[in-house]
Amino acid sequence: MYRVIHVDIYIGQLAFKGMKRLNRIQSIVFETAYNTNENMLICAPTGAGKTNIAMLTILHEIRQHVQQGVIKKDEFKVVYVAPMKALAAEMTNYFSKRLEPLGITVKELTGDMQLSKGEILRTQMLVTTPEKWDVVTRKSVGDVALSQMVKLLILDEVHLLHEDRGPVLESIVARTLRQVESTQSMIRILGLSATLPNYLDVATFLHVNPYIGLFYFDGRFRPVPLGQTFVGIKTANKVMVFVHARNATVRTAMGLREKAKNNGHICHFLSPQGSDYGQAEKNKQLRELFPDGFSIHHAGMLRQDRNLVENLFSNGHIKVLVCTATLAWGVNLPAHAVVIKGTQIYAAKRGSFVDLGILDVMQIFGRAGRPQFDKFGEGIIITTHDKLSHYLTLLTQQNPIESQFLESLADNLNAEIALGTVTNVEEAVKWISYTYLYVRMRANPLVYGISHKMDPGLEKHREQLVIEVGRKLDKARMIRFEERTGFFSSTDLGRTASHYYIKYNTIEVNYDCQNSYQIVREEEIEELDTLLNDFCELPAPGGVENNYGKINILLQTYISRGEMDSFSLISDSAYVAQNAARIVRALFEIALRKRWPAMTYRLLNLSKVIDKRLWGWVSPLRQFSVLPPSVLSKLEEKNLTIDKMKDMRKDEIGEKSPIGLKVKQCVHQIPSVIMEATIQPITRTVLRVRLNITPDFTWNDQVHGTVGEPWWIWVEDPTNDHIYHSEYFIVQKKQVIAKEPQLLVFTIPIFEPLPSQYYIRAVSDRWLGAEAVCIINFQHLILPERHPPHTELLDLQPLPITALGHREYEALYKFTHFNPIQTQIFHTLYHTDCNVLLGAPTGSGKTVAAELAIFRVFNKYPTSKAVYIAPLKALVRERIEDWKQATIFLDYRVVELTGDVTPDMRAIAQADLIVTTPEKWDGVSRSWQNRSYVQKVSILIIDEIHLLGDERGPVLEVIVSRTNFISSHTEKPVRVVGLSTALANARDLADWLNINQMGLFNFRPSVRPVPLEVHIQGFPGQHYCPRMASMNKPAFQAIRSHSPAKPVLIFVSSRRQTRLTALDLIAFLATEDDPKDSNLKLTLAFGIGMHHAGLHERDRKTVEELFVNCKIQVLIATSTLAWGVNFPAHLVIVKGTEYYDGKTRRYVDYPITDVLQMMGRAGRPQFDDQGKAVILVHDIKKDFYKKFLYEPFPVESSLLEVLADHLNAEIAAGTITSKQDAMDYITWTYFFRRLIMNPTYYNLDDVSHDTMNKYLSSLVEKSLFDLECSYCIEIGEVRIMCLTKISKIHASRSSKQQDTCFSFLIYGNAEEYTDLPVRHNEDQMNSELAKHLPIEVNPHSFDSSHTKTHLLLQAHFSHAMLPCPDYATDTKTVLDQAIRICQAMLDVAAHHGWLVTALNIINLVQMVVQGRWIHNSSLLTLPNIELQHLYLFRYVILLSIAKVCNLIPLLTGRQDSKAMAPRFPKVKDEGWFLILGEVDKKELIALKRTGYVRNRSTVSVAFYTPETPGKCIYTLYLMSDSYLGMDQQYDIYLNIIPASTSAQVTTDVSDTLSHLTLK
């Protein structure tokens, strides 16, 4: 025997505490269990200590996750599958106790014990039942991550394979084995079973290596030998008598006691009086039986009574225990002898008696013989004579166990299809080969009706099975089965059936067959009648005689919380209730998918009625257990609704104050929401609904939990009885506490003639009586105008490039002829000066159109400039690279002007072509009066002008309006060329851009040079991440079917998704037996690239080159790539159309333009004759995309939200000086055009002249008022500000605190940072990061963008380690805006004369540029110098170095004006601030910025002297805007003399300052 000492000292000793040695069986398997990763099957008699073997494998798993003495608990999960809930509960306690010293959490996950997602994640070991684990792994949804964490799966009692629950075990094992193969991950399987005859088959099924992992111990290995007899005995030892009904336990116990008394043998049973006798007060029978040493035990008893009986029996106070069979499976109580009285057992599922299975007999006999006390045990069966031989043969020579899988093949196949692991016949055939059915069909074909002559691998037979089942499922509409191709695809019905564990037959008849086994017994009729009269609130069709009537009565009694006497009714009732809840939920989902509003509403309510066991018409307050029933009845009598009670005072509700208060609290805890809907017509058939949902209740953790309250919401049309949109959303705890509204945006169809109204209904998922309705009224709805037709593509002869008539231009192009679109627009662009709007699908060569317009300027107006505006920096960079290479042929200067690259003024002034972004050009052109180069612009080309409708759209509007304004002032025409995708309302855009019919080209979306074939697939699932995961397999299949060897682009929404998708695709590849094409095998094994903004520039370039040169076939990219780099591919897959919006902290849809842009990347003009796009969307949005991907989308203006910012800029630039100017300014905008065309969209009721005037003047009033409140303007006087958002200026003005930390805090709260994303789980990362940083932040705001900004800045100054690569790119985003915001803050401080604040802000600028704290040694800004080097720079050492340096002759000065700032993401020009201040009054007198100082330069500062004559001291600060530790300060002594008016002397201060020239 192995001593326990041998087990790994730390871990094993703790778990096996108190045990000296392992028994024989455990010692034999020890080596394999504890020191290898092999799958194992242990067949051993009951009582052989198999649980300890499980323990050994668990310890082996734990040991693999120990690093430096710490168990990495988040790396693994162990799942223990026990056959019954009772056993699961026992095992949970057992393992909890044993693993507690190791800090391992063990939780039960069964039908009784639900765990939240968070609890599951925090648990290392789950004890569950086969059905529960099957359901959990069926939902690929949130639990994908869970099933991938499982490293060890322990299946207890594997011999249950041949019972009717066997198929569940088969499907679990098959799923696990396929997962091991597909993900190449290690999941160890341990099977524990009683002695089996055909253990080799089971080993094959579990993939156990028979030479290493298979252990078979027969009956001889029982720790206590068993005598099996059929004789009655009497003994003073402990005896268990097993009976098969709860009421039979009492009858038998009483009978035995009577017999013992009559025969005078009662003395054998009496126990030495224990003190524990009096405790079972609750149970009358127990009290009677206890004194004589008899007792009973069954699942219907109270928990504490059961525990008491178990303790007394194991302590020997009770000699005879009469119990039901569940005790044998559940609690481990051995006895000396075991008697089975009768072998007929009642099965609730069948509603009749069946024979006791041989496994049950074995299990019960396993309880005989107590290893500590007995030499042998007794097992006795008492059965009817005809069954005697049956049990004899079974016990002596066991039959092999067969598979029951065929019966539930349909359900299990449907589950795999819904999960996405089986998608065609071939995969299904392969899947069957993982089941025990396959093992047995090969070993014993005759049982399964197969003759031996058939195929040896059973390929044909399996295929036959799959096709038959496929047809059945297809007929029931649970899947779609295309027999021609063999493809399966899941339907909503099938998914619902799989998730709710609904049987195929139930769906087939769409009637509740799950309860059809119930039969009505004679003895029950009377009681059912009583129940019908006492507890049934509704009529029960069918009455008491029919089984469906019985089900109805039982369910109603369950809801009414009625009591039943008959044992069979109690067990039937539990069975009905358990299934009803699940089935009603499934029916609710089916009704919702079928879009039936009334049915959906009723079923959701019914499901809550069953869950809560309360009727819908009782007071919702009955859901609170704290209120006494008497109070509730009174409230119901008074007929008080919840709304009424909300308005009443507590003393009005209850005369006694305390209960009134209690009721009032409960009333306010019932979840309720307030909904406000606004509608915006997008076209004449589609409405956008913006729904604001504000929670209106009090949160209480005991009542609501800690996460959130789930709600269903749907839009119903009462006249057509149809649901147009439905979604599931959660009101988060923090939103309730903050009363923070949640915004849902969705689109619904609308039909002419207009219906009177739609309803939006919100219904709580958990609470009865919690619902809200919001009415959408269509009375004032004005639909937008119909859109004008598209430009027809003419059938022209393609134009050769020689038409340019310029050799250098022709050399730019690799092709010989322009494409049809370019040919049609050539003349207008190249030979005229009229404004042009070109709307054409992505990929139709619009860049060439821009080049034609630029060449026109180069030819005709050589002294003027061209400006090309692209929406993203990446696009600007791409254009620059293309044109820089191209301009080698031409003598023109191209300049890039973006937030990252700001060339000096001379370069801009000399440039011929400026390529820039909208924001940058807006900033530059604001002060156009002082910038001559802005006035020299003769053409403005705006790429992707359809982004007007985007949140950055207003900037484009302002640029165009300003351009028109400038050209009207300078009287020089500026040509505007707009390029966009195909537009719906191109005419409006053209009118606004002053484009006549000749310059408007708006082609259909279908005139692509390469035609596009689009496939849209919908995916269910409320949660984002799981939905994305379920899209991976379809994406993989799309690649296989549409583009097995050509390049593929997959667009996902986040960097994390690029990684997850790539890993999944690689996993699917690994499982493909044999990709058809060998080079596909090579490319896909490694040919998957990732591309996102977080990659290093070099890596990004490499990936791009590889993809363009077809070295990698699949590129997974974030959506920005669609705009940025131009990589066409043959197939584009858009995986999900939502992204996480950090500002609103929820997933929102991409603008439709982005999706079109992504699709536009499909089809490569040089290689393909058609492109393919596959769009995978959330199923509720499928209709919307179907509509708008084929017909163009109208562009609306979004200027309204940011009007104040832009008015402020124009006021500052002097363009607007009065309210009338502001009104006129608005009429120049695109917003004004759309306001007339689609008034309802902008909340305007009608378009009459007066209404328009009122509307516009109130807009201007409101904006000017906001600006005035933010101290940006004063009506009457105008004050100039930098470009920042107004609310931040207001913030910095209102807090005049003088401390760097504080300026830093205000800075972090800048409006600009609201958009910084706080992604999923980043609040935890933020809280971790905060622990390592010096300045504390509010611990409740880790999910706020501003707190994150604050932390990133601190980390930037502290050189702290960032938790993930995303944070590095986020830091770059934060620093990008930093200097601009600081400059604005500095201006505000200077304006108000706050000296200390201004100095602090300059310090902040220095910190940002250098990435150091102000109190750090300034030497740390030198390259490669860290804290530990500072001691080398002691004063003495530095003096000697300085002497030598001074002797070295210097020949050249530095000519470069760029600052040395390795930690700042952009190139920064050096500069200086001169500040003149009066220290005593903390007042700033003057501020002057000066640029890079080359050799010597003189700077003059003008200031007002004090009004009172006398002496005063001013201090002059000279501060760098780039370096720490270079600041200098000088005191300036002034003597102010009174001004002599006669001499008109002007005192010149410059003499005093002459010695302060800058060096």
Side-chain angles (χ1 to χ4, degrees), residues 1026-1062:
R1027 192 166 62 240
M1028 291 299 110
S1030 64
M1031 290 177 181
N1032 289 337
K1033 184 84 184 259
F1036 175 67
Q1037 267 159 335
I1039 298 175
R1040 280 188 59 192
S1041 52
H1042 297 304
S1043 178
K1046 293 183 178 172
V1048 180
L1049 259 179
I1050 302 181
F1051 286 109
V1052 293
S1053 66
S1054 65
R1055 301 164 194 183
R1056 183 165 168 262
Q1057 279 296 330
T1058 55
R1059 193 174 64 244
L1060 295 177
T1061 310

Short mmCIF file of all heavy atoms in Angstrom, two decimals, residues 1026-1062:
data_model
loop_
_atom_site.label_atom_id
_atom_site.label_comp_id
_atom_site.label_asym_id
_atom_site.label_seq_id
_atom_site.Cartn_x
_atom_site.Cartn_y
_atom_site.Cartn_z
N PRO A 1026 -20.21 36.49 -26.70
CA PRO A 1026 -20.61 35.16 -27.16
C PRO A 1026 -21.14 35.18 -28.58
O PRO A 1026 -20.90 34.26 -29.34
CB PRO A 1026 -21.73 34.78 -26.20
CG PRO A 1026 -21.72 35.75 -25.12
CD PRO A 1026 -20.91 36.92 -25.49
N ARG A 1027 -21.85 36.27 -28.94
CA ARG A 1027 -22.40 36.32 -30.30
C ARG A 1027 -21.25 36.37 -31.30
O ARG A 1027 -21.28 35.71 -32.33
CB ARG A 1027 -23.30 37.54 -30.44
CG ARG A 1027 -24.13 37.52 -31.68
CD ARG A 1027 -25.24 38.54 -31.67
NE ARG A 1027 -24.79 39.90 -31.58
CZ ARG A 1027 -25.10 40.73 -30.61
NH1 ARG A 1027 -25.85 40.33 -29.61
NH2 ARG A 1027 -24.66 41.97 -30.61
N MET A 1028 -20.22 37.14 -30.97
CA MET A 1028 -19.06 37.20 -31.84
C MET A 1028 -18.43 35.82 -31.97
O MET A 1028 -18.02 35.40 -33.05
CB MET A 1028 -17.99 38.16 -31.28
CG MET A 1028 -18.40 39.61 -31.31
SD MET A 1028 -18.69 40.20 -32.97
CE MET A 1028 -20.42 40.41 -32.95
N ALA A 1029 -18.34 35.11 -30.83
CA ALA A 1029 -17.71 33.78 -30.86
C ALA A 1029 -18.50 32.83 -31.76
O ALA A 1029 -17.93 32.03 -32.48
CB ALA A 1029 -17.63 33.23 -29.44
N SER A 1030 -19.84 32.98 -31.74
CA SER A 1030 -20.64 32.05 -32.55
C SER A 1030 -20.52 32.38 -34.04
O SER A 1030 -20.95 31.61 -34.88
CB SER A 1030 -22.10 32.08 -32.10
OG SER A 1030 -22.64 33.35 -32.34
N MET A 1031 -19.92 33.54 -34.36
CA MET A 1031 -19.77 33.90 -35.79
C MET A 1031 -18.49 33.32 -36.40
O MET A 1031 -18.31 33.39 -37.60
CB MET A 1031 -19.73 35.43 -35.94
CG MET A 1031 -21.04 36.11 -35.67
SD MET A 1031 -20.84 37.89 -35.79
CE MET A 1031 -22.50 38.44 -35.40
N ASN A 1032 -17.61 32.79 -35.54
CA ASN A 1032 -16.32 32.37 -36.09
C ASN A 1032 -16.43 31.19 -37.07
O ASN A 1032 -15.81 31.20 -38.12
CB ASN A 1032 -15.35 32.01 -34.96
CG ASN A 1032 -14.91 33.26 -34.23
OD1 ASN A 1032 -14.96 34.36 -34.78
ND2 ASN A 1032 -14.52 33.13 -32.98
N LYS A 1033 -17.26 30.21 -36.68
CA LYS A 1033 -17.39 29.04 -37.57
C LYS A 1033 -18.00 29.44 -38.91
O LYS A 1033 -17.48 29.08 -39.96
CB LYS A 1033 -18.22 27.97 -36.84
CG LYS A 1033 -18.35 26.66 -37.59
CD LYS A 1033 -17.15 25.75 -37.34
CE LYS A 1033 -17.22 24.48 -38.14
NZ LYS A 1033 -17.67 23.34 -37.38
N PRO A 1034 -19.12 30.21 -38.91
CA PRO A 1034 -19.67 30.65 -40.20
C PRO A 1034 -18.66 31.46 -41.02
O PRO A 1034 -18.63 31.35 -42.24
CB PRO A 1034 -20.86 31.53 -39.79
CG PRO A 1034 -21.25 31.03 -38.45
CD PRO A 1034 -20.00 30.57 -37.79
N ALA A 1035 -17.83 32.24 -40.33
CA ALA A 1035 -16.82 33.02 -41.08
C ALA A 1035 -15.85 32.06 -41.75
O ALA A 1035 -15.49 32.22 -42.92
CB ALA A 1035 -16.07 33.94 -40.12
N PHE A 1036 -15.47 31.02 -41.01
CA PHE A 1036 -14.53 30.03 -41.55
C PHE A 1036 -15.16 29.34 -42.76
O PHE A 1036 -14.52 29.14 -43.80
CB PHE A 1036 -14.21 29.02 -40.45
CG PHE A 1036 -13.34 27.89 -40.91
CD1 PHE A 1036 -12.03 28.14 -41.29
CD2 PHE A 1036 -13.82 26.60 -40.96
CE1 PHE A 1036 -11.23 27.10 -41.71
CE2 PHE A 1036 -13.03 25.57 -41.38
CZ PHE A 1036 -11.72 25.81 -41.77
N GLN A 1037 -16.46 29.01 -42.63
CA GLN A 1037 -17.11 28.35 -43.76
C GLN A 1037 -17.25 29.25 -44.96
O GLN A 1037 -17.13 28.80 -46.09
CB GLN A 1037 -18.49 27.87 -43.34
CG GLN A 1037 -18.34 26.48 -42.87
CD GLN A 1037 -19.45 26.06 -41.99
OE1 GLN A 1037 -20.09 26.89 -41.37
NE2 GLN A 1037 -19.68 24.80 -41.95
N ALA A 1038 -17.48 30.54 -44.68
CA ALA A 1038 -17.60 31.49 -45.79
C ALA A 1038 -16.28 31.50 -46.57
O ALA A 1038 -16.27 31.53 -47.80
CB ALA A 1038 -17.91 32.88 -45.25
N ILE A 1039 -15.16 31.47 -45.83
CA ILE A 1039 -13.86 31.47 -46.51
C ILE A 1039 -13.75 30.21 -47.36
O ILE A 1039 -13.34 30.24 -48.52
CB ILE A 1039 -12.70 31.52 -45.49
CG1 ILE A 1039 -12.77 32.81 -44.69
CG2 ILE A 1039 -11.36 31.42 -46.20
CD1 ILE A 1039 -11.76 32.91 -43.56
N ARG A 1040 -14.16 29.07 -46.76
CA ARG A 1040 -14.02 27.81 -47.50
C ARG A 1040 -14.89 27.79 -48.74
O ARG A 1040 -14.47 27.32 -49.79
CB ARG A 1040 -14.41 26.63 -46.61
CG ARG A 1040 -13.29 26.24 -45.69
CD ARG A 1040 -13.60 24.97 -44.95
NE ARG A 1040 -13.84 23.86 -45.85
CZ ARG A 1040 -14.35 22.70 -45.48
NH1 ARG A 1040 -14.68 22.53 -44.23
NH2 ARG A 1040 -14.55 21.73 -46.33
N SER A 1041 -16.11 28.33 -48.64
CA SER A 1041 -16.97 28.19 -49.81
C SER A 1041 -16.77 29.31 -50.82
O SER A 1041 -16.90 29.08 -52.01
CB SER A 1041 -18.44 28.07 -49.39
OG SER A 1041 -18.77 29.11 -48.54
N HIS A 1042 -16.47 30.54 -50.35
CA HIS A 1042 -16.41 31.65 -51.32
C HIS A 1042 -15.01 31.96 -51.81
O HIS A 1042 -14.83 32.48 -52.88
CB HIS A 1042 -16.98 32.93 -50.71
CG HIS A 1042 -18.42 32.84 -50.35
ND1 HIS A 1042 -19.39 32.49 -51.25
CD2 HIS A 1042 -19.06 33.04 -49.17
CE1 HIS A 1042 -20.57 32.48 -50.65
NE2 HIS A 1042 -20.39 32.80 -49.39
N SER A 1043 -14.02 31.72 -50.98
CA SER A 1043 -12.70 32.21 -51.37
C SER A 1043 -11.60 31.33 -50.79
O SER A 1043 -10.81 31.76 -49.98
CB SER A 1043 -12.55 33.65 -50.86
OG SER A 1043 -11.29 34.15 -51.16
N PRO A 1044 -11.58 30.05 -51.19
CA PRO A 1044 -10.62 29.14 -50.54
C PRO A 1044 -9.17 29.49 -50.84
O PRO A 1044 -8.29 29.16 -50.07
CB PRO A 1044 -10.99 27.77 -51.10
CG PRO A 1044 -11.83 28.02 -52.30
CD PRO A 1044 -12.44 29.37 -52.15
N ALA A 1045 -8.91 30.19 -51.96
CA ALA A 1045 -7.50 30.44 -52.26
C ALA A 1045 -7.20 31.90 -52.54
O ALA A 1045 -6.07 32.27 -52.79
CB ALA A 1045 -7.09 29.60 -53.46
N LYS A 1046 -8.24 32.76 -52.50
CA LYS A 1046 -7.99 34.18 -52.80
C LYS A 1046 -7.99 34.98 -51.51
O LYS A 1046 -8.49 34.51 -50.50
CB LYS A 1046 -9.09 34.69 -53.73
CG LYS A 1046 -9.04 34.05 -55.11
CD LYS A 1046 -10.11 34.66 -55.98
CE LYS A 1046 -10.07 34.09 -57.39
NZ LYS A 1046 -11.22 34.55 -58.17
N PRO A 1047 -7.47 36.22 -51.55
CA PRO A 1047 -7.35 36.97 -50.29
C PRO A 1047 -8.71 37.31 -49.65
O PRO A 1047 -9.68 37.56 -50.34
CB PRO A 1047 -6.62 38.25 -50.70
CG PRO A 1047 -6.61 38.28 -52.17
CD PRO A 1047 -6.87 36.91 -52.68
N VAL A 1048 -8.69 37.30 -48.34
CA VAL A 1048 -9.91 37.53 -47.56
C VAL A 1048 -9.63 38.61 -46.52
O VAL A 1048 -8.58 38.58 -45.87
CB VAL A 1048 -10.32 36.24 -46.80
CG1 VAL A 1048 -11.58 36.49 -46.00
CG2 VAL A 1048 -10.50 35.09 -47.77
N LEU A 1049 -10.56 39.54 -46.35
CA LEU A 1049 -10.45 40.55 -45.29
C LEU A 1049 -11.58 40.31 -44.30
O LEU A 1049 -12.74 40.21 -44.71
CB LEU A 1049 -10.67 41.94 -45.89
CG LEU A 1049 -9.46 42.81 -46.16
CD1 LEU A 1049 -9.93 44.11 -46.78
CD2 LEU A 1049 -8.70 43.11 -44.90
N ILE A 1050 -11.26 40.23 -43.02
CA ILE A 1050 -12.33 40.09 -42.02
C ILE A 1050 -12.29 41.34 -41.14
O ILE A 1050 -11.25 41.65 -40.56
CB ILE A 1050 -12.10 38.84 -41.15
CG1 ILE A 1050 -12.06 37.59 -42.04
CG2 ILE A 1050 -13.20 38.71 -40.11
CD1 ILE A 1050 -11.85 36.31 -41.27
N PHE A 1051 -13.42 42.04 -41.07
CA PHE A 1051 -13.46 43.24 -40.23
C PHE A 1051 -14.12 42.92 -38.89
O PHE A 1051 -15.21 42.36 -38.85
CB PHE A 1051 -14.25 44.35 -40.92
CG PHE A 1051 -13.50 44.97 -42.05
CD1 PHE A 1051 -13.87 44.76 -43.36
CD2 PHE A 1051 -12.39 45.76 -41.79
CE1 PHE A 1051 -13.16 45.33 -44.40
CE2 PHE A 1051 -11.68 46.34 -42.82
CZ PHE A 1051 -12.06 46.12 -44.13
N VAL A 1052 -13.44 43.26 -37.80
CA VAL A 1052 -14.02 43.07 -36.47
C VAL A 1052 -13.97 44.41 -35.75
O VAL A 1052 -13.38 45.37 -36.24
CB VAL A 1052 -13.24 42.01 -35.66
CG1 VAL A 1052 -13.40 40.65 -36.28
CG2 VAL A 1052 -11.78 42.38 -35.57
N SER A 1053 -14.57 44.46 -34.54
CA SER A 1053 -14.76 45.78 -33.95
C SER A 1053 -13.66 46.19 -33.00
O SER A 1053 -13.58 47.33 -32.61
CB SER A 1053 -16.08 45.79 -33.19
OG SER A 1053 -15.95 44.92 -32.10
N SER A 1054 -12.82 45.24 -32.56
CA SER A 1054 -11.85 45.66 -31.55
C SER A 1054 -10.57 44.86 -31.72
O SER A 1054 -10.54 43.83 -32.38
CB SER A 1054 -12.40 45.41 -30.15
OG SER A 1054 -12.56 44.02 -29.97
N ARG A 1055 -9.53 45.34 -31.06
CA ARG A 1055 -8.24 44.64 -31.18
C ARG A 1055 -8.34 43.25 -30.58
O ARG A 1055 -7.75 42.31 -31.08
CB ARG A 1055 -7.18 45.43 -30.42
CG ARG A 1055 -7.08 46.82 -30.99
CD ARG A 1055 -6.35 47.72 -30.05
NE ARG A 1055 -6.56 49.10 -30.48
CZ ARG A 1055 -6.00 50.12 -29.90
NH1 ARG A 1055 -5.22 49.93 -28.87
NH2 ARG A 1055 -6.23 51.33 -30.33
N ARG A 1056 -9.10 43.17 -29.47
CA ARG A 1056 -9.23 41.87 -28.82
C ARG A 1056 -9.89 40.87 -29.76
O ARG A 1056 -9.50 39.71 -29.85
CB ARG A 1056 -10.07 42.06 -27.56
CG ARG A 1056 -10.23 40.82 -26.76
CD ARG A 1056 -10.75 41.15 -25.36
NE ARG A 1056 -11.16 39.94 -24.70
CZ ARG A 1056 -12.41 39.52 -24.66
NH1 ARG A 1056 -13.36 40.23 -25.21
NH2 ARG A 1056 -12.71 38.40 -24.05
N GLN A 1057 -10.90 41.37 -30.50
CA GLN A 1057 -11.59 40.47 -31.44
C GLN A 1057 -10.66 40.00 -32.55
O GLN A 1057 -10.81 38.88 -33.04
CB GLN A 1057 -12.80 41.19 -32.05
CG GLN A 1057 -14.03 41.18 -31.18
CD GLN A 1057 -14.56 39.78 -30.93
OE1 GLN A 1057 -14.44 38.89 -31.74
NE2 GLN A 1057 -15.15 39.59 -29.77
N THR A 1058 -9.70 40.83 -32.97
CA THR A 1058 -8.79 40.35 -34.04
C THR A 1058 -8.06 39.11 -33.54
O THR A 1058 -7.93 38.13 -34.25
CB THR A 1058 -7.73 41.41 -34.44
OG1 THR A 1058 -7.02 41.80 -33.28
CG2 THR A 1058 -8.33 42.61 -35.10
N ARG A 1059 -7.65 39.18 -32.28
CA ARG A 1059 -6.87 38.07 -31.72
C ARG A 1059 -7.74 36.81 -31.59
O ARG A 1059 -7.38 35.73 -32.03
CB ARG A 1059 -6.31 38.49 -30.36
CG ARG A 1059 -5.25 37.60 -29.82
CD ARG A 1059 -4.67 38.17 -28.54
NE ARG A 1059 -5.64 38.26 -27.46
CZ ARG A 1059 -6.05 39.39 -26.91
NH1 ARG A 1059 -5.58 40.55 -27.34
NH2 ARG A 1059 -6.91 39.39 -25.92
N LEU A 1060 -8.93 37.00 -30.99
CA LEU A 1060 -9.80 35.84 -30.74
C LEU A 1060 -10.21 35.17 -32.05
O LEU A 1060 -10.25 33.95 -32.16
CB LEU A 1060 -11.06 36.28 -29.98
CG LEU A 1060 -10.80 36.81 -28.57
CD1 LEU A 1060 -12.10 37.29 -27.94
CD2 LEU A 1060 -10.18 35.73 -27.70
N THR A 1061 -10.54 36.01 -33.04
CA THR A 1061 -10.99 35.45 -34.32
C THR A 1061 -9.86 34.65 -34.96
O THR A 1061 -10.07 33.54 -35.45
CB THR A 1061 -11.44 36.58 -35.26
OG1 THR A 1061 -12.34 37.43 -34.54
CG2 THR A 1061 -12.14 36.04 -36.48
N ALA A 1062 -8.66 35.21 -34.93
CA ALA A 1062 -7.53 34.51 -35.56
C ALA A 1062 -7.31 33.16 -34.89
O ALA A 1062 -7.13 32.14 -35.57
CB ALA A 1062 -6.28 35.37 -35.46
#
